[in-house]
Amino acid sequence: MTSPEPDAGTTRGQRRGLAGSVVAAVIGGAVAYFATGRVWESTTVERAAPLLPETVRTTGSDLVPWASAAALVGIAGGLALLATRGRGRFAVACLVALAGAGAVAGGLRGLFGDSTVGWPLLSVAGGVLVLGAGAFALARGRHWAAMGARYDAPGAREKAHATTGPDAPPTAIWDALDRGDDPTR
């Protein structure tokens, strides 16, 4: 007994879920990375006369360097959701969620320090987007479509092509086309 074909609405919803997670992770990571590159703390250091006081500006990346790294991991992981499937997608979704948590923690560190409020808060907002994208991918990612066989390594394609040789049944060619293989190669 074969399973019924998924209706177009389900497939479209799955594509929207994947696209939404990718976009949320990329935008959230970019926002958090941008925010960590801004000045979070300014300190005026008095110096001996006749020197004028010096203002030392500390960016979020200087204050919490792992927050900007987590934001970059969120961006890369969001894009990697497109290229993975199965256990690989699960691992990437975990990594994206952890990266989002890291960006949130970095922003919170800035909020509770002697910093301005705006940039750390923006870092938290970006991290929440990345965290949400990772959590959504963990919950729904196993149902999302994956890249076709044409993107597999050449060894896998040759193995699939071997099943469509001259001794294969006539339906094997159609099966290869359904998998995304080119039986003419």
Side-chain angles (χ1 to χ4, degrees), residues 49-80:
L51 299 173
L52 297 174
E54 180 183 8
T55 302
V56 178
R57 292 179 175 86
T58 307
T59 65
S61 295
D62 295 334
L63 193 61
V64 279
W66 45 267
S68 57
L72 288 175
V73 169
I75 294 170
L79 294 172

mmCIF file of all heavy atoms in Angstrom, residues 49-80:
data_model
loop_
_atom_site.group_PDB
_atom_site.id
_atom_site.type_symbol
_atom_site.label_atom_id
_atom_site.label_comp_id
_atom_site.label_asym_id
_atom_site.label_seq_id
_atom_site.Cartn_x
_atom_site.Cartn_y
_atom_site.Cartn_z
ATOM 1 N N ALA A 49 47.348 66.892 33.169
ATOM 2 C CA ALA A 49 47.436 68.140 32.416
ATOM 3 C C ALA A 49 48.770 68.177 31.693
ATOM 4 O O ALA A 49 49.750 67.634 32.192
ATOM 5 C CB ALA A 49 47.285 69.328 33.352
ATOM 6 N N PRO A 50 48.861 68.667 30.615
ATOM 7 C CA PRO A 50 47.984 69.449 29.752
ATOM 8 C C PRO A 50 47.176 68.591 28.776
ATOM 9 O O PRO A 50 46.528 69.118 27.876
ATOM 10 C CB PRO A 50 48.940 70.356 28.995
ATOM 11 C CG PRO A 50 50.149 69.509 28.791
ATOM 12 C CD PRO A 50 50.223 68.664 30.048
ATOM 13 N N LEU A 51 47.179 67.262 28.947
ATOM 14 C CA LEU A 51 46.440 66.390 28.037
ATOM 15 C C LEU A 51 44.946 66.474 28.320
ATOM 16 O O LEU A 51 44.504 66.562 29.466
ATOM 17 C CB LEU A 51 46.917 64.949 28.178
ATOM 18 C CG LEU A 51 48.392 64.684 27.851
ATOM 19 C CD1 LEU A 51 48.750 63.248 28.191
ATOM 20 C CD2 LEU A 51 48.669 64.988 26.393
ATOM 21 N N LEU A 52 44.174 66.410 27.251
ATOM 22 C CA LEU A 52 42.711 66.428 27.368
ATOM 23 C C LEU A 52 42.200 65.036 27.727
ATOM 24 O O LEU A 52 42.868 64.032 27.461
ATOM 25 C CB LEU A 52 42.093 66.883 26.049
ATOM 26 C CG LEU A 52 42.428 68.306 25.604
ATOM 27 C CD1 LEU A 52 41.880 68.553 24.220
ATOM 28 C CD2 LEU A 52 41.880 69.314 26.599
ATOM 29 N N PRO A 53 41.013 64.978 28.322
ATOM 30 C CA PRO A 53 40.434 63.659 28.624
ATOM 31 C C PRO A 53 40.224 62.859 27.325
ATOM 32 O O PRO A 53 39.962 63.425 26.268
ATOM 33 C CB PRO A 53 39.100 63.982 29.286
ATOM 34 C CG PRO A 53 39.157 65.420 29.634
ATOM 35 C CD PRO A 53 40.162 66.064 28.764
ATOM 36 N N GLU A 54 40.335 61.565 27.455
ATOM 37 C CA GLU A 54 40.168 60.686 26.288
ATOM 38 C C GLU A 54 38.893 59.869 26.464
ATOM 39 O O GLU A 54 38.614 59.352 27.543
ATOM 40 C CB GLU A 54 41.365 59.754 26.158
ATOM 41 C CG GLU A 54 41.271 58.817 24.981
ATOM 42 C CD GLU A 54 42.441 57.854 24.903
ATOM 43 O OE1 GLU A 54 43.258 57.812 25.835
ATOM 44 O OE2 GLU A 54 42.513 57.145 23.907
ATOM 45 N N THR A 55 38.132 59.737 25.372
ATOM 46 C CA THR A 55 36.924 58.921 25.398
ATOM 47 C C THR A 55 37.238 57.564 24.789
ATOM 48 O O THR A 55 37.679 57.481 23.646
ATOM 49 C CB THR A 55 35.783 59.593 24.612
ATOM 50 O OG1 THR A 55 35.541 60.872 25.184
ATOM 51 C CG2 THR A 55 34.520 58.768 24.662
ATOM 52 N N VAL A 56 37.026 56.521 25.565
ATOM 53 C CA VAL A 56 37.260 55.155 25.098
ATOM 54 C C VAL A 56 35.900 54.557 24.751
ATOM 55 O O VAL A 56 35.002 54.501 25.591
ATOM 56 C CB VAL A 56 37.960 54.312 26.186
ATOM 57 C CG1 VAL A 56 38.156 52.877 25.717
ATOM 58 C CG2 VAL A 56 39.280 54.936 26.585
ATOM 59 N N ARG A 57 35.773 54.139 23.503
ATOM 60 C CA ARG A 57 34.517 53.549 23.025
ATOM 61 C C ARG A 57 34.694 52.036 22.878
ATOM 62 O O ARG A 57 35.638 51.579 22.243
ATOM 63 C CB ARG A 57 34.123 54.174 21.703
ATOM 64 C CG ARG A 57 33.746 55.622 21.849
ATOM 65 C CD ARG A 57 33.379 56.244 20.505
ATOM 66 N NE ARG A 57 32.895 57.604 20.678
ATOM 67 C CZ ARG A 57 33.691 58.671 20.732
ATOM 68 N NH1 ARG A 57 34.993 58.529 20.636
ATOM 69 N NH2 ARG A 57 33.180 59.869 20.889
ATOM 70 N N THR A 58 33.766 51.290 23.465
ATOM 71 C CA THR A 58 33.825 49.837 23.416
ATOM 72 C C THR A 58 32.620 49.324 22.648
ATOM 73 O O THR A 58 31.473 49.617 23.000
ATOM 74 C CB THR A 58 33.810 49.240 24.841
ATOM 75 O OG1 THR A 58 34.847 49.869 25.599
ATOM 76 C CG2 THR A 58 34.033 47.750 24.813
ATOM 77 N N THR A 59 32.863 48.551 21.593
ATOM 78 C CA THR A 59 31.758 47.975 20.816
ATOM 79 C C THR A 59 31.263 46.704 21.493
ATOM 80 O O THR A 59 31.924 46.149 22.379
ATOM 81 C CB THR A 59 32.210 47.639 19.382
ATOM 82 O OG1 THR A 59 33.196 46.610 19.445
ATOM 83 C CG2 THR A 59 32.750 48.858 18.659
ATOM 84 N N GLY A 60 30.133 46.249 21.046
ATOM 85 C CA GLY A 60 29.606 44.991 21.557
ATOM 86 C C GLY A 60 30.540 43.834 21.258
ATOM 87 O O GLY A 60 30.685 42.912 22.056
ATOM 88 N N SER A 61 31.200 43.872 20.100
ATOM 89 C CA SER A 61 32.155 42.808 19.747
ATOM 90 C C SER A 61 33.359 42.802 20.676
ATOM 91 O O SER A 61 33.918 41.749 20.961
ATOM 92 C CB SER A 61 32.637 42.992 18.309
ATOM 93 O OG SER A 61 31.567 42.834 17.421
ATOM 94 N N ASP A 62 33.757 43.989 21.149
ATOM 95 C CA ASP A 62 34.855 44.053 22.106
ATOM 96 C C ASP A 62 34.418 43.552 23.474
ATOM 97 O O ASP A 62 35.175 42.895 24.181
ATOM 98 C CB ASP A 62 35.363 45.486 22.252
ATOM 99 C CG ASP A 62 35.988 46.027 20.975
ATOM 100 O OD1 ASP A 62 36.479 45.219 20.170
ATOM 101 O OD2 ASP A 62 35.970 47.252 20.796
ATOM 102 N N LEU A 63 33.194 43.874 23.836
ATOM 103 C CA LEU A 63 32.669 43.532 25.151
ATOM 104 C C LEU A 63 32.321 42.047 25.262
ATOM 105 O O LEU A 63 32.676 41.393 26.246
ATOM 106 C CB LEU A 63 31.436 44.389 25.432
ATOM 107 C CG LEU A 63 30.909 44.433 26.837
ATOM 108 C CD1 LEU A 63 31.959 44.996 27.784
ATOM 109 C CD2 LEU A 63 29.650 45.290 26.884
ATOM 110 N N VAL A 64 31.616 41.523 24.274
ATOM 111 C CA VAL A 64 31.219 40.106 24.243
ATOM 112 C C VAL A 64 31.508 39.552 22.840
ATOM 113 O O VAL A 64 30.622 39.480 21.997
ATOM 114 C CB VAL A 64 29.734 39.913 24.625
ATOM 115 C CG1 VAL A 64 29.520 39.939 26.098
ATOM 116 C CG2 VAL A 64 28.838 40.924 23.950
ATOM 117 N N PRO A 65 32.744 39.156 22.585
ATOM 118 C CA PRO A 65 33.117 38.727 21.232
ATOM 119 C C PRO A 65 32.362 37.498 20.744
ATOM 120 O O PRO A 65 32.127 37.340 19.558
ATOM 121 C CB PRO A 65 34.615 38.447 21.331
ATOM 122 C CG PRO A 65 34.952 38.410 22.762
ATOM 123 C CD PRO A 65 33.878 39.128 23.500
ATOM 124 N N TRP A 66 31.938 36.641 21.639
ATOM 125 C CA TRP A 66 31.210 35.450 21.238
ATOM 126 C C TRP A 66 29.811 35.772 20.711
ATOM 127 O O TRP A 66 29.224 34.976 19.989
ATOM 128 C CB TRP A 66 31.152 34.435 22.364
ATOM 129 C CG TRP A 66 30.804 35.012 23.694
ATOM 130 C CD1 TRP A 66 31.679 35.442 24.639
ATOM 131 C CD2 TRP A 66 29.502 35.252 24.224
ATOM 132 N NE1 TRP A 66 30.996 35.930 25.725
ATOM 133 C CE2 TRP A 66 29.663 35.825 25.502
ATOM 134 C CE3 TRP A 66 28.220 35.039 23.751
ATOM 135 C CZ2 TRP A 66 28.589 36.187 26.296
ATOM 136 C CZ3 TRP A 66 27.146 35.393 24.542
ATOM 137 C CH2 TRP A 66 27.338 35.960 25.798
ATOM 138 N N ALA A 67 29.272 36.943 21.050
ATOM 139 C CA ALA A 67 27.940 37.293 20.558
ATOM 140 C C ALA A 67 27.967 37.556 19.051
ATOM 141 O O ALA A 67 27.064 37.132 18.326
ATOM 142 C CB ALA A 67 27.401 38.515 21.303
ATOM 143 N N SER A 68 29.003 38.232 18.574
ATOM 144 C CA SER A 68 29.090 38.461 17.129
ATOM 145 C C SER A 68 29.393 37.152 16.397
ATOM 146 O O SER A 68 28.890 36.922 15.302
ATOM 147 C CB SER A 68 30.139 39.521 16.809
ATOM 148 O OG SER A 68 31.396 39.164 17.313
ATOM 149 N N ALA A 69 30.185 36.278 17.009
ATOM 150 C CA ALA A 69 30.451 34.974 16.404
ATOM 151 C C ALA A 69 29.166 34.142 16.342
ATOM 152 O O ALA A 69 28.890 33.480 15.338
ATOM 153 C CB ALA A 69 31.521 34.234 17.193
ATOM 154 N N ALA A 70 28.368 34.196 17.401
ATOM 155 C CA ALA A 70 27.100 33.465 17.413
ATOM 156 C C ALA A 70 26.162 33.994 16.335
ATOM 157 O O ALA A 70 25.442 33.221 15.690
ATOM 158 C CB ALA A 70 26.450 33.563 18.788
ATOM 159 N N ALA A 71 26.161 35.295 16.120
ATOM 160 C CA ALA A 71 25.319 35.875 15.073
ATOM 161 C C ALA A 71 25.741 35.372 13.696
ATOM 162 O O ALA A 71 24.889 35.043 12.864
ATOM 163 C CB ALA A 71 25.393 37.399 15.130
ATOM 164 N N LEU A 72 27.036 35.284 13.447
ATOM 165 C CA LEU A 72 27.522 34.758 12.169
ATOM 166 C C LEU A 72 27.170 33.283 12.000
ATOM 167 O O LEU A 72 26.813 32.843 10.902
ATOM 168 C CB LEU A 72 29.033 34.963 12.051
ATOM 169 C CG LEU A 72 29.493 36.400 11.839
ATOM 170 C CD1 LEU A 72 31.015 36.477 11.851
ATOM 171 C CD2 LEU A 72 28.934 36.964 10.548
ATOM 172 N N VAL A 73 27.251 32.519 13.070
ATOM 173 C CA VAL A 73 26.862 31.102 13.015
ATOM 174 C C VAL A 73 25.374 30.989 12.712
ATOM 175 O O VAL A 73 24.943 30.105 11.958
ATOM 176 C CB VAL A 73 27.227 30.379 14.327
ATOM 177 C CG1 VAL A 73 26.597 28.998 14.400
ATOM 178 C CG2 VAL A 73 28.731 30.278 14.471
ATOM 179 N N GLY A 74 24.568 31.895 13.268
ATOM 180 C CA GLY A 74 23.135 31.896 12.974
ATOM 181 C C GLY A 74 22.851 32.141 11.506
ATOM 182 O O GLY A 74 21.985 31.494 10.910
ATOM 183 N N ILE A 75 23.590 33.060 10.899
ATOM 184 C CA ILE A 75 23.411 33.339 9.472
ATOM 185 C C ILE A 75 23.789 32.112 8.642
ATOM 186 O O ILE A 75 23.026 31.660 7.779
ATOM 187 C CB ILE A 75 24.260 34.553 9.044
ATOM 188 C CG1 ILE A 75 23.755 35.836 9.712
ATOM 189 C CG2 ILE A 75 24.246 34.715 7.527
ATOM 190 C CD1 ILE A 75 24.679 37.025 9.536
ATOM 191 N N ALA A 76 24.975 31.576 8.898
ATOM 192 C CA ALA A 76 25.447 30.418 8.134
ATOM 193 C C ALA A 76 24.550 29.196 8.352
ATOM 194 O O ALA A 76 24.228 28.465 7.417
ATOM 195 C CB ALA A 76 26.888 30.090 8.516
ATOM 196 N N GLY A 77 24.130 28.998 9.593
ATOM 197 C CA GLY A 77 23.257 27.866 9.889
ATOM 198 C C GLY A 77 21.898 27.998 9.233
ATOM 199 O O GLY A 77 21.321 27.013 8.762
ATOM 200 N N GLY A 78 21.381 29.225 9.179
ATOM 201 C CA GLY A 78 20.103 29.437 8.498
ATOM 202 C C GLY A 78 20.189 29.049 7.036
ATOM 203 O O GLY A 78 19.285 28.397 6.497
ATOM 204 N N LEU A 79 21.277 29.411 6.389
ATOM 205 C CA LEU A 79 21.467 29.032 4.984
ATOM 206 C C LEU A 79 21.702 27.532 4.845
ATOM 207 O O LEU A 79 21.272 26.921 3.863
ATOM 208 C CB LEU A 79 22.627 29.819 4.379
ATOM 209 C CG LEU A 79 22.384 31.322 4.253
ATOM 210 C CD1 LEU A 79 23.656 32.030 3.820
ATOM 211 C CD2 LEU A 79 21.241 31.611 3.289
ATOM 212 N N ALA A 80 22.354 26.934 5.824
ATOM 213 C CA ALA A 80 22.619 25.498 5.770
ATOM 214 C C ALA A 80 21.343 24.668 5.912
ATOM 215 O O ALA A 80 21.317 23.507 5.490
ATOM 216 C CB ALA A 80 23.622 25.107 6.847
#
